[in-house]
Amino acid sequence: MSSCKPTSKDEKRQHVRKPDWLKINIKANKQYKELKTLMREKNLHTVCEEARCPNIHECWGERRTATFMILGSVCTRACRFCAVKTGLPTELDLAEPERVADSVVLMNLKHVVITVVARDDLKDGGASVLAETVRAIRRKSPQTSIEVLPSDMGGVKDNIQILMDAKPDILNHNIETVRRLTPRVRAKAKYDRSLEFLRRSKEMQPDIPTKSSLMVGLGETEEEILEVMDDLRANDVDIMTIGQYLQPTKKHLPVQKYYAPIEFGRLRKIAMEKGFKHCEAGPLVRSSYHADEQVNAATKERQMQAGM
């Protein structure tokens, strides 16, 4: 694989210069502006904004998809790749599930992703509120497909069961990086615990697709990337996304390598050959990128019956 490594001069800068293929064409159309206004009016958070996702204009403005971040905007973990704020979390907002569901209706969303900050201060890791959010959306907007993107919830089986009993359309939990780099990249998270989370989720609801995401550019080798693919498939994960790590601020881990689009194309080909049902791979791909295309046939049939 070829690489685009920063020079010593670049490394001294606050942000490493990005290659041309990472330039983003911003299209702030009417729908994007309306959704942003609604988020502020409803006091809602999205990982699209908090994590500085490069695809926010495409998802909000063109695809009618959004990723809500519930349980506050402050995470109890301090992962060295993530731009979400870290600190003491806020009190639970028990009205949040209904407020999120109301917003999904107002936005007329085709697909919604519900993620959570890590809430290690809660016994259930936030599973109950996340499950109630799924149920609230299902009641008020039955045609919307729902993807959940939780933390590992401490790896507690009962917490996973609470979430899976709500029957989201896709269960997404990110492995984030290769085994060797996990202790350095992910605060408190464990590589094998993430694999166990994904395996147990599929065991509890075999018909619900499972999904995971990998960032590259943190110093991993190609062999380690392939190991991640094999580990995910060994735990019956259906969908994989692979994207370029981008350093949010100078306090976060630096980029070790920029992968070229052709390299992502090769990784996608390998992933599909290993048995994934779907793989998105590219410089700007994030966990929820084109998530609306990944729902299963049963969900699409339900959407058609609801007249969407």
Side-chain angles (χ1 to χ4, degrees):
M1 289 186 173
S2 62
S3 65
C4 180
K5 295 183 179 180
T7 64
S8 58
K9 183 178 180 180
D10 288 329
E11 287 173 344
K12 295 178 182 179
R13 298 174 182 170
Q14 182 173 346
H15 295 287
V16 175
R17 179 178 294 176
K18 299 182 181 74
D20 290 342
W21 59 78
L22 283 171
K23 292 180 180 178
I24 304 166
N25 293 321
I26 296 176
K27 299 178 181 179
N29 63 14
K30 181 181 178 181
Q31 179 165 303
Y32 167 82
K33 294 175 181 177
E34 288 176 348
L35 293 191
K36 188 166 186 176
T37 298
L38 183 63
M39 293 292 183
R40 302 292 80 76
E41 291 176 348
K42 294 291 183 179
N43 192 29
L44 295 170
H45 302 282
T46 67
V47 74
C48 317
E49 296 173 291
E50 300 290 341
R52 306 180 186 183
C53 180
N55 305 305
I56 185 171
H57 295 86
E58 178 184 354
C59 294
W60 286 21
E62 299 174 24
R63 303 185 69 89
R64 284 169 52 218
T65 64
T67 302
F68 290 90
M69 187 169 70
I70 64 172
L71 293 170
S73 61
V74 180
C75 185
T76 56
R77 300 182 185 181
C79 295
R80 297 188 67 198
F81 68 91
C82 185
V84 175
K85 291 177 289 187
T86 301
L88 296 175
T90 57
E91 294 182 3
L92 286 180
D93 180 358
L94 298 181
E96 191 172 36
E98 296 296 327
R99 202 164 66 252
V100 170
D102 289 340
S103 298
V104 169
V105 174
L106 287 172
M107 294 175 176
N108 190 28
L109 292 181
K110 175 183 177 183
H111 182 81
V112 63
V113 182
I114 310 297
T115 189
V116 296
V117 291
R119 290 294 302 258
D120 296 316
D121 58 312
L122 301 176
K123 183 177 180 181
D124 71 351
S128 297
V129 175
L130 181 53
E132 182 53 38
T133 304
V134 173
R135 289 189 287 266
I137 296 170
R138 193 77 80 207
R139 288 193 306 269
K140 296 185 176 184
S141 187
Q143 76 278 9
T144 302
S145 52
I146 306 169
E147 179 175 330
V148 293
L149 177 54
S151 68
D152 57 31
M153 296 184 173
V156 179
K157 185 175 181 181
D158 289 346
N159 297 345
I160 305 172
Q161 188 72 63
I162 289 170
L163 177 56
M164 298 310 293
D165 283 348
K167 296 186 177 180
D169 294 299
I170 297 180
L171 181 284
N172 183 355
H173 175 67
N174 292 338
I175 199 77
E176 304 290 13
T177 190
V178 300
R179 182 185 294 274
R180 175 178 57 87
L181 296 177
T182 294
R184 182 166 177 253
V185 174
R186 303 173 70 197
K188 298 184 181 180
K190 297 180 180 179
Y191 186 87
D192 287 313
R193 188 161 68 191
S194 286
L195 292 176
E196 182 180 54
F197 185 102
L198 290 158
R199 186 187 73 251
R200 283 180 167 175
S201 299
K202 180 55 72 72
E203 290 172 350
M204 292 172 182
Q205 297 287 352
D207 294 333
I208 294 178
T210 51
K211 173 180 173 182
S212 194
S213 182
L214 175 71
M215 300 177 294
V216 294
L218 284 161
E220 67 290 323
T221 65
E222 180 177 356
E223 290 73 20
E224 289 175 317
I225 294 173
L226 302 187
E227 179 188 21
V228 173
M229 292 182 184
D230 289 337
D231 288 341
L232 292 175
R233 286 301 302 134
N235 287 276
D236 206 17
V237 174
D238 303 288
I239 301 164
M240 184 179 190
T241 62
I242 308 170
Q244 173 70 51
Y245 166 67
L246 299 175
Q247 183 182 14
T249 73
K250 62 181 180 180
K251 295 180 180 179
H252 292 81
L253 291 170
V255 176
Q256 297 296 318
K257 170 184 173 178
Y258 285 115
Y259 286 68
I262 192 171
E263 295 178 278
F264 281 105
R266 180 168 176 268
L267 289 175
R268 182 188 182 280
K269 182 175 183 292
I270 294 172
M272 296 302 291
E273 290 173 348
K274 287 182 177 292
F276 288 98
K277 295 178 181 177
H278 187 90
C279 177
E280 291 279 353
L284 296 177
V285 166
R286 295 297 178 265
S287 181
S288 302
Y289 187 67
H290 289 187
D292 54 309
E293 297 177 355
Q294 300 158 19
V295 293
N296 59 22
T299 299
K300 292 179 180 179
E301 178 66 24
R302 174 171 56 77
Q303 290 177 334
M304 289 177 63
Q305 292 175 356
M308 186 159 191

